[in-house]
Amino acid sequence: MNTQIAFAESRVSQLLKCQYPILLAGMGGVARSELVAAVSNAGGFGFLGMVRESPALISQEISSVREKTERPFGVNLIPAATDQDLLEAEIAACMEEKVFSVGLFWDLSDALVRRLVDHGILVVCQVGSVSEAVAAQEAGAALIVAQGVEAGGHVRGQLKALELIQEVSRNVDVPIVAAGGISTGKHIFDAFTAGAEGTMIGTAFIATEESFAHPYHKQRIVDADSDATILTTDFHINWPRDAKVRVLRNSVTNGDHGDPNTRPLKVIGNEEGRPIYLFSTDSPLRSMSGDFEAMALYAGVGSRLVRDIKPAAQVVHSLAVEFAEASSKSVPVNDDFENEPVELASSPCYAADFDAPSI
Ligand SMILES: Cc1cc2nc3c(=O)[nH]c(=O)nc-3n(C[C@H](O)[C@H](O)[C@H](O)COP(=O)(O)O)c2cc1C
């Protein structure tokens, strides 16, 4: 039980050299330089979502983050959803830019993890099962992100986040970061109680001013109720077959567009000349136009508690304060954001009092 560990003292904060072990998920399209810099500047740790992006864009985005912050950040890649030549070029760009950390997801490539580690890069692997967590640790991952089924976007495993964290923590020694459905500091506290030492958050950061998601997607998350999300394989173009995604229910998940595997492909949008197809894994971005309602509106179950579009720093700050309230700890708040440390009025709550909620 780790509930007495303050954020700043967690192994995750120490390894990632950040103030709070709050990681921005490397959401493809959404987590661009503006959001990554905002999260890292607020004391968290941002990952650029660079799946299938060109090496030129990766280098440009890395430079853009470095212009906005001196704090560390990482780059997220998804080998299984990327053509092999492009992946090699992406990896070369990350090595050339001497990125601090690379985050990987989906099929684990031991060889790739080892190559990155040999280049002095801190590797973070997101997993959906205990066996994957053990394999990632053996390959050299410094941190394991345990992703529960509550997560928005592609979902790897079948267990809920708290169950997976408990299982993984019995089997690996490296620090575990909780992902999936986390949108409050109380959720983070619950994850710490289960054995995590940090959190990786996607959905709550979509609804921020700095995210590259289209305003339509941000507003749909703000409007989501507790029954809003569904796990589906309907959005599949660009990814390995049968990969599940958690999205907001829409005309596609309602079946209004027929069989997702029919041909020919139908164009429903455009991103600077690139066609966006019905049933593709592209989510609505600022740079797109088209039928947003029919696109993949990724969202985790925690969307029901995201009620406003805020600056990302406010999201990081609120999570830290809520964690402190939940654990009755005093968390020193990032100087750039506020000068006063957070003092808590509430009485201490101990691990034994913990009543694991479904997050
Ligand atoms: C819009 C969106 C895009 C995502 N894209 C990626 C991605 O490119 N790479 C990745 O490793 N994970 C991606 N994920 C999954 C996250 O890494 C993480 O597991 C998830 O966001 C955690 O759950 P939450 O959304 O409930 O916070 C994405 C999630 C969302 C919501």
Side-chain angles (χ1 to χ4, degrees), residues 25-30 49-51 76-78 103-105 126 145 147 150-154 179-182 200-204 206 217 239 246 283 298-302:
M27 295 178 283
V30 175
M50 291 286 106
V51 53
N76 174 270
L77 301 173
I78 304 190
L104 299 170
F105 187 32
Q126 179 163 235
V145 181
Q147 187 204 43
E150 303 94 331
H154 284 85
I182 293 176
M200 179 181 269
I201 295 178
T203 300
I206 298 177
H217 193 178
W239 263 75
R246 185 175 293 283
S283 65
Y298 297 124
V301 301

Side-chain angles (χ1 to χ4, degrees), residues 126 157 159 245 275 331:
Q126 179 163 235
L159 293 179
V245 291
V331 173

Side-chain angles (χ1 to χ4, degrees), residues 100-176:
F100 176 71
S101 174
V102 166
L104 299 170
F105 187 32
W106 222 251
D107 294 346
L108 178 76
S109 162
D110 305 21
L112 176 57
V113 174
R114 288 199 188 97
R115 262 174 75 196
L116 292 165
V117 171
D118 287 347
H119 263 79
I121 294 173
L122 185 145
V123 178
V124 175
C125 287
Q126 179 163 235
V127 305
S129 67
V130 174
S131 56
E132 270 188 331
V134 171
Q137 172 175 274
E138 274 170 17
L143 293 174
I144 305 289
V145 181
Q147 187 204 43
V149 285
E150 303 94 331
H154 284 85
V155 173
R156 184 68 173 154
Q158 288 169 0
L159 293 179
K160 288 189 162 191
L162 294 184
E163 292 164 356
L164 182 62
I165 294 160
Q166 279 164 354
E167 291 281 312
V168 172
S169 66
R170 285 190 209 108
N171 290 278
V172 304
D173 302 317
V174 296
I176 301 162

